[in-house]
Amino acid sequence: MEDFKEMDERIYNLIISELEGELSPEEATILEDWRSSAEENEKVFKEMRLVHETLNLIPEYQTLDENSSWISLSKKLKSSPNLKIEGKERTVRLRYLRWLSSAAAIILVMSISFYFYNSFTVVNMSTGLHERKNILLPDGSAVYLNENTSISYSKSSFKEKRVLSMLKGEAFFDVIHNSANTFRVDAGEIQIKDIGTSFNVTRSEENVSVIVNKGIVNFEHVKSKKSEILKAKNKAVYDVKTQKIIRSQNTNLNYRYYMDGNFTFLNTPLSEVVQILEKFYGKTIVIKNKELKNRKLTANLHKQPLDSILNIITQTLLLKTSKQNNVIYIYK
């Protein structure tokens, strides 16, 4: 974020208000217009949001004594001949510098802590293309990461706070319930709180969604405090652009395919079947005949080699397969 000095400090004040859940509707409109006016603006917003999410994982940031920390900074600002401190301009700039100073101070603490004492680090876990991982968290809860997924949590405070950040991708959570210490997934503007459950979370730049496998979760928009209590087979999707939550019944029978390799197809078009198999097995599958894309398949397929899966599908639908240059073709 090298362009700070060139940007309007009021915009940064609005961004900080947004991250802290204090933005008014009028200010939200101004910020949204600024974000959509240039790709660089959106990039700056996402960088600051990432810093904010990372800081919230660090115990030192949560316990910072703000009142004493800013007395010396305020004095320095007042004594600076190049800094106006009159009225609203002083408030905006002070808050902006305060946020940046917080980030710099905590990042410094992180560096020192990492060097001298490993228990104060933030644990980052991620997967690449066609890579999946099973993770056991410090409280005994399990997380199953799909491909291209990143999560992080504070190693030193997780058992006490049980907070995990979902940075991108898709993951299934099997949570050990503790009524006295709620498990929470932070996904940008959304918080997902366990009330004794297992659930699937997907986060992209466009939306955040959750599907409840069993139990109950609270799906909450941090800023507006609007929330949905979801039970098994319920789904909720948060649209980042409209900031709306849409609740529905889950109709995706294969949302857990990546963790157990089991597939349930019920009158499913062959084109959708192929998409799921491509994702799981990392292979390219082409349906040669256009009319075959809507051919319906009903089958329960358990984890097994792709060749075996394709053999079942072709026998069921009376089709054929061939391979050429690592591409699988399905045809009549």
Side-chain angles (χ1 to χ4, degrees):
M1 291 183 286
E2 300 177 352
D3 298 327
F4 277 164
K5 294 182 180 180
E6 300 176 5
M7 304 298 295
D8 182 359
E9 287 152 2
R10 186 180 176 217
I11 290 295
Y12 286 101
N13 189 58
L14 294 179
I15 295 175
I16 297 168
S17 294
E18 165 74 11
L19 297 176
E20 295 178 352
E22 300 174 355
L23 209 60
S24 68
E26 293 79 12
E27 290 173 329
T29 300
I30 295 173
L31 181 58
E32 183 62 32
D33 290 342
W34 178 80
R35 289 174 59 183
S36 61
S37 65
E39 290 185 5
E40 183 63 26
N41 294 350
E42 181 65 12
K43 180 180 178 182
V44 169
F45 175 82
K46 289 179 179 178
E47 287 177 344
M48 291 186 68
R49 183 174 64 188
L50 181 60
V51 170
H52 184 265
E53 291 177 1
T54 303
L55 292 180
N56 282 334
L57 291 170
I58 304 169
E60 287 81 355
Y61 182 70
Q62 303 291 345
T63 58
L64 191 64
D65 185 352
E66 295 181 350
N67 291 330
S68 61
S69 299
W70 300 111
I71 292 176
S72 59
L73 176 59
S74 178
K75 289 180 179 178
K76 290 179 181 179
L77 290 174
K78 289 179 181 180
S79 64
S80 173
N82 298 319
L83 181 63
K84 296 181 180 179
I85 56 173
E86 305 299 331
K88 187 174 182 180
E89 184 174 355
R90 174 187 178 277
T91 302
V92 169
R93 180 168 293 198
L94 178 59
R95 191 179 184 209
Y96 167 56
L97 291 175
R98 169 179 174 175
W99 191 89
L100 288 180
S101 299
S102 288
I106 299 305
I107 289 172
L108 176 61
V109 170
M110 283 180 62
S111 301
I112 295 174
S113 298
F114 178 81
Y115 186 80
F116 288 106
Y117 192 55
N118 189 48
S119 65
F120 285 94
T121 60
V122 171
V123 177
N124 296 290
M125 303 294 294
S126 61
T127 55
L129 183 64
H130 306 318
E131 181 186 12
R132 298 174 180 87
K133 286 182 181 178
N134 298 340
I135 300 168
L136 188 64
L137 297 174
D139 69 340
S141 297
V143 185
Y144 304 84
L145 303 185
N146 200 356
E147 62 180 354
N148 295 323
T149 297
S150 296
I151 64 170
S152 64
Y153 62 89
S154 170
K155 182 177 180 181
S156 60
S157 67
F158 185 83
K159 285 187 177 180
E160 176 186 352
K161 297 185 177 181
R162 301 181 80 201
V163 176
L164 178 149
S165 281
M166 181 81 178
L167 304 177
K168 69 171 185 175
E170 182 174 27
F172 184 88
F173 296 84
D174 194 357
V175 177
I176 291 182
H177 182 60
N178 183 346
S179 57
N181 191 6
T182 301
F183 186 97
R184 192 181 85 208
V185 177
D186 287 346
E189 300 170 3
I190 291 293
Q191 287 184 348
I192 302 162
K193 299 178 182 178
D194 150 61
I195 312 178
T197 190
S198 58
F199 52 92
N200 195 78
V201 179
T202 304
R203 180 182 180 184
S204 66
E205 292 186 357
E206 293 76 28
N207 58 60
V208 177
S209 67
V210 63
I211 297 174
V212 181
N213 182 56
K214 63 180 180 180
I216 306 173
V217 301
N218 181 37
F219 189 81
E220 180 179 303
H221 183 229
V222 177
K223 177 185 172 184
S224 67
K225 300 301 179 183
K226 292 181 180 179
S227 64
E228 292 285 346
I229 301 296
L230 306 172
K231 298 182 179 180
K233 298 183 180 180
N234 287 164
K235 177 180 181 179
V237 179
Y238 171 72
D239 188 296
V240 174
K241 186 174 183 179
T242 64
Q243 297 189 349
K244 291 183 179 180
I245 298 175
I246 300 175
R247 175 180 179 150
S248 63
Q249 286 294 110
N250 174 48
T251 58
N252 181 4
L253 300 177
N254 295 300
Y255 68 92
R256 294 193 302 166
Y257 76 93
Y258 63 90
M259 60 174 288
D260 55 23
N262 294 327
F263 307 95
T264 300
F265 300 115
L266 183 61
N267 289 323
T268 307
L270 184 58
S271 58
E272 293 183 18
V273 173
V274 164
Q275 287 179 357
I276 295 174
L277 295 179
E278 284 184 321
K279 287 182 180 180
F280 185 75
Y281 291 99
K283 301 292 184 180
T284 300
I285 305 174
V286 176
I287 303 173
K288 276 188 145 183
N289 309 98
K290 187 176 182 181
E291 64 272 17
L292 295 181
K293 292 184 177 181
N294 290 321
R295 184 78 66 88
K296 302 296 192 298
L297 175 69
T298 296
N300 289 316
L301 306 175
H302 301 289
K303 189 174 183 179
Q304 53 191 299
L306 179 57
D307 288 342
S308 299
I309 295 285
L310 292 173
N311 187 48
I312 294 172
I313 293 174
T314 54
Q315 287 186 14
T316 302
L317 299 181
L318 302 177
L319 301 174
K320 299 177 182 178
T321 63
S322 64
K323 295 181 183 178
Q324 185 177 358
N325 297 326
N326 292 323
V327 177
I328 300 169
Y329 294 93
I330 299 177
Y331 56 96
K332 288 183 179 180

